[in-house]
């Protein structure tokens, strides 16, 4: 049975970090406010010692995720800055300055997958507790809230039929070569030329020629799919490798611009959805919907994100209100008294309908409620900061789990950045 890593013996003759750094730095003060023991308890099921290589300390894992989303860093940039920034190392629990990483860059991806949204929600919960402990957030701020939804775009190229079909040809040919499947013809050169010409003809408004080239691409993709299907027929191992990609390529070939229902917008991210939010600058966004809850009051420490969750399937906003408020109450432990939403939530499913106030509502509106309704739009700049500064604006994490994890970590990073 291996024990957690303990390398303090190597640091006996090194100067301690707290003797070098400024103890008034925001990250140092934040590290002193966070209850790391609570996070260790929540991560215990994943970070417990067992056979094999000793696990990383829970504080190091939690600290890395917090710093990453506080300062909007990629995994690679975080590793580079961690090596040169003593405040990052102190925040993650290092007693002395280190010149090498105690973890591998790929460990970030593995720990995200192991912890999942349920365990990482502890970071959001702890951020609210720190805000409450420091006086930045009061109990009354948790009783009156506003909810809104936004789109978390996925890191994909803008999907067009020509690009998707050419990309499907590229991936099928690459997979066939890596698995030793000899193709009758690859069509890579002619398909690339056809995809380029579709864009040129469309830009020049020569739509008949563009449709002709698009048909050319669709025909070549169909030939490639049938050729591979014949070559792997009866080989169970090859079928298991090719079937997922072949099914997506078939959908790409068959789908049409005006068809209704589920479509494939990215071969590497089939969970992506097309969402229309009515914005003139971006009529359609490709990703998933995210629900965000903030106080409708004016907390002393500024605005905070009380709850954030990714919602797949592009649900109607009103149908998400009941479950989101229930999860918000479970996260904070405070019952919500008043909920302010926009007109997109009409016909909502919240069990206490008289606690929900929709913008533009006239009946039962008192002076206090009218003042709160004017602050409903305070959630909009919060969403803007989440997207611009805390990695909600473009999600690079894989799959639906990555969508949910990124939303929670962005909210925790926003809160802790405001507290620090």
């Amino acid at each position: 049975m291996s024990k957690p890593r303990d390398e303090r013996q190597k640091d006996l003759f090194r100067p301690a970090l707290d003797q070098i750094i400024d103890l008034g730095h925001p990250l140092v003060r934040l590290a002193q406010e966070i209850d790391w023991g609570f996070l260790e308890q929540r991560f215990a099921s994943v970070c417990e010692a067992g056979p094999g290589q000793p696990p990383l300390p829970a504080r190091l894992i939690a600290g890395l995720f917090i710093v990453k989303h506080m300062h909007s860093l990629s995994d690679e940039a975080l590793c580079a800055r961690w090596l040169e920034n003593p405040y990052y190392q102190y925040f993650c629990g290092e007693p002395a300055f280190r010149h090498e990483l105690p973890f591998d860059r790929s460990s970030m991806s593995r720990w995200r997958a192991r912890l999942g949204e349920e365990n990482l929600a502890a970071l959001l919960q702890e951020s609210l507790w720190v805000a409450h402990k420091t006086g930045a957030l009061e109990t009354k701020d948790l009783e009156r809230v506003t909810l809104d939804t936004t789109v978390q775009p996925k890191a994909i190229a803008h999907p067009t039929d020509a690009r998707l079909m050419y990309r499907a040809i590229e991936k099928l040919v690459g997979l066939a070569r890596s698995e030793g499947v000899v193709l009758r013809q690859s069509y890579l050169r002619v398909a690339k030329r056809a995809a380029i010409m579709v864009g040129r003809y469309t830009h020049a408004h020569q739509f008949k020629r563009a449709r002709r080239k698009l048909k050319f691409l669709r025909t070549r993709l169909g030939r490639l799919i049938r050729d591979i299907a014949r070559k792997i027929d009866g080989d169970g191992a090859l079928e298991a490798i090719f079937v997922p990609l072949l099914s997506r390529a078939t959908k790409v070939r068959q789908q049409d611009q005006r068809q209704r229902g589920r479509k494939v917008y990215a071969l590497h991210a089939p969970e992506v959805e097309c969402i229309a939010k009515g914005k003139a600058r971006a009529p359609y966004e490709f990703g998933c919907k995210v629900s965000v809850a903030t106080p409708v009051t004016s907390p002393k420490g500024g605005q905070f994100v009380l709850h954030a969750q990714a919602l797949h399937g592009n649900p109607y906003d009103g149908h998400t209100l009941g479950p989101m408020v229930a999860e918000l109450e479970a996260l904070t432990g405070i019952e919500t008294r008043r909920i302010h939403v926009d007109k997109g939530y009409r016909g909502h499913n919240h069990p206490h309908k008289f606690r929900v106030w929709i913008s533009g509502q006239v009946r039962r509106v008192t002076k206090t409620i009218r003042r709160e309704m004017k602050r409903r739009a305070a959630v909009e700049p919060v969403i803007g900061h989440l997207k611009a500064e805390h990695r909600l604006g473009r999600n690079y994490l894989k799959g639906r789990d990555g969508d949910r994890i990124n939303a929670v970590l962005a909210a925790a990073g926003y809160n802790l950045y405001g507290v620090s």
Side-chain angles (χ1 to χ4, degrees):
M1 182 72 71
S2 61
K3 297 179 180 179
R5 301 180 186 184
D6 188 356
E7 300 175 349
R8 288 175 295 178
Q9 220 173 10
K10 298 179 181 179
D11 303 326
L12 285 175
F13 301 105
R14 295 182 185 177
L17 275 176
D18 56 6
Q19 302 298 320
I20 302 172
I21 60 178
D22 176 17
L23 297 181
H25 191 275
L27 274 179
V28 177
R29 290 188 281 108
L30 180 60
Q32 295 167 353
E33 296 292 343
I34 292 176
D35 184 359
W36 299 105
F38 166 73
L39 296 177
E40 287 178 4
Q41 291 177 1
R42 289 293 298 270
F43 294 175
S45 60
V46 176
C47 299
E48 63 183 2
Q53 188 177 10
L56 296 173
R59 177 169 176 176
L60 174 61
I61 300 162
L64 288 170
F65 288 141
I66 290 171
V67 170
K68 171 184 170 69
H69 284 267
M70 277 179 64
H71 301 289
S72 187
L73 301 173
S74 65
D75 289 349
E76 291 82 0
L78 175 64
C79 293
R81 291 199 187 182
W82 194 91
L83 278 178
E84 63 188 23
N85 195 322
Y87 294 99
Y88 283 9
Q89 296 192 17
Y90 178 86
F91 185 77
C92 293
E94 293 295 333
F97 189 79
R98 300 191 61 148
H99 298 275
E100 71 287 336
L101 287 172
F103 59 93
D104 190 73
R105 203 277 319 157
S106 58
S107 299
M108 300 283 293
S109 302
R110 296 192 184 96
W111 278 107
R112 272 191 295 261
R114 290 175 67 180
L115 288 167
E117 180 196 13
E118 185 178 353
N119 289 317
L120 289 172
L123 297 178
L124 177 56
Q125 195 172 9
E126 180 61 21
S127 70
L128 296 176
W129 167 244
V130 170
H132 182 74
K133 185 168 61 172
T134 56
L137 189 67
E138 298 180 7
T139 303
K140 66 177 183 179
D141 299 321
L142 304 174
E143 296 176 347
R144 292 168 286 176
V145 302
T146 175
L147 276 82
D148 199 5
T149 59
T150 186
V151 178
Q152 177 180 233
K154 200 79 168 181
I156 66 169
H158 185 78
T160 62
D161 290 339
R163 179 183 283 121
L164 283 172
M165 282 190 279
Y166 173 64
R167 191 73 181 133
I169 291 172
E170 262 191 332
K171 282 185 170 290
L172 285 171
V173 171
L175 185 59
R177 286 176 177 172
S178 65
E179 297 298 326
V181 176
V182 180
L183 298 174
R184 179 168 163 264
Q185 191 172 345
S186 71
Y187 304 107
L188 279 177
R189 183 179 58 83
V190 293
K192 182 177 181 179
R193 178 65 181 172
I196 292 172
M197 294 310 296
V198 169
R200 290 181 180 178
Y201 286 143
T202 304
H203 182 72
H205 288 203
Q206 299 177 6
F207 297 114
K208 286 186 178 179
R209 290 179 172 178
R211 283 195 295 270
R212 197 176 301 129
K213 289 296 181 182
L214 201 59
K215 183 180 179 182
F216 178 90
L217 271 173
R218 186 172 281 113
T219 303
R220 269 56 188 180
L221 177 58
R223 289 183 186 177
L224 192 59
I225 291 171
R226 292 189 295 273
D227 188 20
I228 292 175
R230 284 193 298 267
K231 298 288 175 59
I232 66 173
D233 188 26
D235 191 329
L238 284 177
E239 285 180 352
I241 295 171
F242 276 91
V243 161
L245 183 56
L246 281 175
S247 63
R248 291 176 201 167
T250 303
K251 287 182 181 178
V252 166
R253 180 177 177 271
Q254 293 174 348
Q255 68 190 18
D256 185 70
Q257 181 183 2
R258 294 175 177 80
Q259 114 184 14
R260 300 185 66 85
R262 289 283 300 163
K263 289 188 187 179
V264 176
Y265 297 102
L267 290 165
H268 70 281
E271 72 278 0
V272 169
E273 297 148 2
C274 179
I275 302 172
K277 295 291 283 185
K279 293 183 284 189
R281 61 175 178 80
Y284 301 99
E285 294 179 280
F286 301 92
C288 73
K289 191 174 282 189
V290 174
S291 175
V292 178
T294 64
V296 80
T297 55
S298 299
K300 292 181 181 178
Q303 280 295 324
F304 292 91
V305 178
L306 305 181
H307 182 262
Q309 184 175 351
L311 306 167
H312 293 99
N314 193 11
Y316 171 60
D317 288 358
H319 296 163
T320 67
L321 185 61
M324 292 302 102
V325 173
E327 291 191 16
L328 168 62
E329 292 174 347
L331 185 72
T332 60
I334 303 296
E335 187 178 7
T336 53
R337 300 295 180 184
R338 286 199 285 269
I339 305 161
H340 296 269
V341 294
D342 59 18
K343 293 180 180 178
Y345 285 84
R346 286 178 293 190
H348 61 81
N349 59 355
H350 192 271
H352 304 287
K353 64 178 182 178
F354 292 112
R355 293 184 181 180
V356 181
W357 301 87
I358 300 174
S359 60
Q361 184 174 335
V362 177
R363 293 182 180 180
R364 302 183 294 112
V365 175
T366 63
K367 188 175 181 181
T368 303
I369 293 173
R370 186 178 294 111
R371 185 168 58 249
E372 290 180 0
M373 291 175 72
K374 289 181 179 179
R375 279 196 52 80
R376 187 212 64 80
V379 68
E380 302 295 347
V382 173
I383 291 173
H385 285 295
L386 285 172
K387 288 191 169 187
E389 300 160 12
H390 302 283
R391 302 187 71 79
L392 194 70
R394 192 167 176 85
N395 177 27
Y396 294 89
L397 305 185
K398 183 180 178 181
R400 294 193 170 193
D401 291 338
D403 295 337
R404 291 189 285 265
I405 289 170
N406 193 65
V408 170
L409 290 178
Y414 173 85
N415 290 344
L416 291 171
Y417 185 82
V419 172
S420 64

